[in-house]
Amino acid sequence: GSLDRRDDRLSQVSEESSMRGSGPMANDSWRGPVSRPPGLGGVFQYRDSLRASGSGRGTGNSDILGRLNIAEPTPEQQMADQLFDQAADYWSKGNLIQAEDLFNQALREDPNHVPSLCSLGVYLYDVKHDHEKAEKLYKRALHLDPQNVNTLCNYGWLLHDVRRDHDGAEKLYKQALKIDPDHIMTLCNYGALLHEYLHDVRGDLNDVEKMYKKALRLDPYHIDTLNNYGLLLHKTKRDIGGAEEMYRRVLALDPNQVDTLCSYAMLLKEDKNDPAHAKMLVQRAQRLDRSHPWIQANQANYLNFI
């Protein structure tokens, strides 16, 4: 989930802002909503929430631990907590290699350190694209702590996005929301899963929209939800004005979102008859990520005109 609260600069989106970004993106024949892997936020959610989840880590109060019937953390567990916090600091600054090293150090101190297991799984999934190892870490983390919503959400996304195991993903998303009905990233990803299902069968999308709206009530700045809701409004509900508002809000919060640049370019060219503006957005996206699948497939249609 989003960690910081940023001013909504919707009216201040600059067409000349520099951007960077990556991720899968639907092409002109829409194939479902985009929802980037949830784990980048999950690393920090662990820092804020794990210690309140009954794990007993980092409370520093033996009376409280005794009343909860939780053993005081061992020196190894305390060291693993410290290393995890350092890793999260590196992660937040974009120093992912250093973060990976510290997650591994934490696991050498305490092989059962759940936040490090899941966060290292996120790194393997999202950065190294080693889905097999990531899945093993998620499974181990859930074996140790079956109620951890961050792990449930992250593993659910892997099943959804990589394994295409929609039933398995839905089971994990439902379990996470039963534990925490306000878990924003799960709301976002479960909404994306239902959107994909229901778009295929032309079903009722009210539940999808409710999930996105609830997530945005909880965090109006949540980029993944804004982007997914924009796609729902754009390609399924055909609410062009609403979709444009979502895309502009994303780019106001983070002008480096290549997925949203491409979606907004599609809207401008196809629905608002503004190919010049669309071309500008695609050029900006191309400067950021020439290998992006949508750009590879569509750049000629957007860039080669007078």
Side-chain angles (χ1 to χ4, degrees), residues 249-262:
R249 284 174 66 180
V250 170
L251 296 176
L253 291 165
D254 182 359
N256 298 333
Q257 292 291 329
V258 174
D259 291 340
T260 307
L261 280 173
C262 297

Side-chain angles (χ1 to χ4, degrees), residues 177 181-192 194-195 204-233 237 239 242-243 245-246 249:
L177 291 175
D182 294 338
H183 194 256
I184 294 168
M185 202 66 241
T186 303
L187 288 166
C188 177
N189 286 349
Y190 191 19
L194 291 178
H195 188 182
D204 184 354
L205 292 166
N206 287 336
D207 286 344
V208 178
E209 189 164 18
K210 286 178 182 177
M211 286 191 186
Y212 289 155
K213 285 183 174 179
K214 180 177 181 179
L216 291 175
R217 284 197 301 272
L218 293 164
D219 183 358
Y221 308 99
H222 195 257
I223 285 175
D224 289 320
T225 305
L226 289 166
N227 187 66
N228 284 3
Y229 191 23
L231 285 167
L232 174 70
L233 295 173
K237 301 197 75 172
D239 178 355
E245 178 188 352
M246 295 299 112
R249 284 174 66 180

Side-chain angles (χ1 to χ4, degrees), residues 46-296:
Y46 272 121
R47 169 189 281 176
D48 296 335
S49 66
L50 184 79
R51 288 147 177 70
S53 70
S55 69
R57 301 295 179 81
T59 63
N61 190 323
S62 58
D63 291 337
I64 292 175
L65 295 175
R67 288 197 297 271
L68 293 174
N69 196 28
I70 297 171
E72 290 192 58
T74 66
E76 292 79 12
Q77 291 169 338
Q78 292 178 328
M79 178 59 70
D81 282 340
Q82 294 174 20
L83 291 165
F84 172 81
D85 285 339
Q86 293 173 32
D89 285 335
Y90 276 117
W91 189 290
S92 69
K93 297 170 184 174
N95 298 323
L96 303 187
I97 294 176
Q98 293 92 330
E100 179 196 19
D101 181 61
L102 286 164
F103 289 142
N104 279 312
Q105 287 186 47
L107 290 172
R108 284 195 290 273
E109 292 288 339
D110 177 9
N112 295 331
H113 193 254
V114 171
S116 293
L117 284 168
C118 187
S119 297
L120 185 58
V122 169
Y123 176 83
L124 291 170
Y125 169 89
D126 193 39
V127 179
K128 289 198 168 180
H129 309 295
D130 189 338
H131 302 141
E132 299 294 335
K133 288 185 179 178
E135 185 169 18
K136 288 180 181 178
L137 292 177
Y138 290 154
K139 284 182 175 180
R140 177 165 176 76
L142 283 177
H143 175 74
L144 293 164
D145 184 0
Q147 302 297 304
N148 195 291
V149 292
N150 293 317
T151 312
L152 289 165
C153 180
N154 286 349
Y155 187 25
W157 176 254
L158 185 148
L159 294 178
H160 174 182
D161 184 49
V162 176
R163 304 296 184 215
R164 310 308 294 166
D165 179 1
H166 291 167
D167 291 338
E170 183 175 33
K171 181 179 179 181
L172 294 179
Y173 291 154
K174 283 184 174 180
Q175 188 176 344
L177 291 175
K178 185 176 180 180
I179 297 166
D180 182 0
D182 294 338
H183 194 256
I184 294 168
M185 202 66 241
T186 303
L187 288 166
C188 177
N189 286 349
Y190 191 19
L193 176 68
L194 291 178
H195 188 182
E196 187 173 331
Y197 266 147
L198 295 174
H199 182 270
D200 289 342
V201 300
R202 301 185 183 277
D204 184 354
L205 292 166
N206 287 336
D207 286 344
V208 178
E209 189 164 18
K210 286 178 182 177
M211 286 191 186
Y212 289 155
K213 285 183 174 179
K214 180 177 181 179
L216 291 175
R217 284 197 301 272
L218 293 164
D219 183 358
Y221 308 99
H222 195 257
I223 285 175
D224 289 320
T225 305
L226 289 166
N227 187 66
N228 284 3
Y229 191 23
L231 285 167
L232 174 70
L233 295 173
H234 177 190
K235 305 301 289 188
T236 304
K237 301 197 75 172
R238 303 302 297 156
D239 178 355
I240 302 306
E244 183 172 24
E245 178 188 352
M246 295 299 112
Y247 295 153
R248 287 174 59 82
R249 284 174 66 180
V250 170
L251 296 176
L253 291 165
D254 182 359
N256 298 333
Q257 292 291 329
V258 174
D259 291 340
T260 307
L261 280 173
C262 297
S263 295
Y264 193 14
M266 288 169 57
L267 181 149
L268 290 167
K269 182 174 183 286
E270 298 174 4
D271 299 299
K272 301 200 74 173
N273 194 27
D274 189 354
H277 191 181
K279 178 178 179 179
M280 185 181 301
L281 294 183
V282 173
Q283 286 174 328
R284 290 162 60 188
Q286 187 184 51
R287 289 196 295 270
L288 293 162
D289 186 3
R290 287 184 174 274
S291 64
H292 192 284
W294 187 91
I295 294 173
Q296 291 286 312

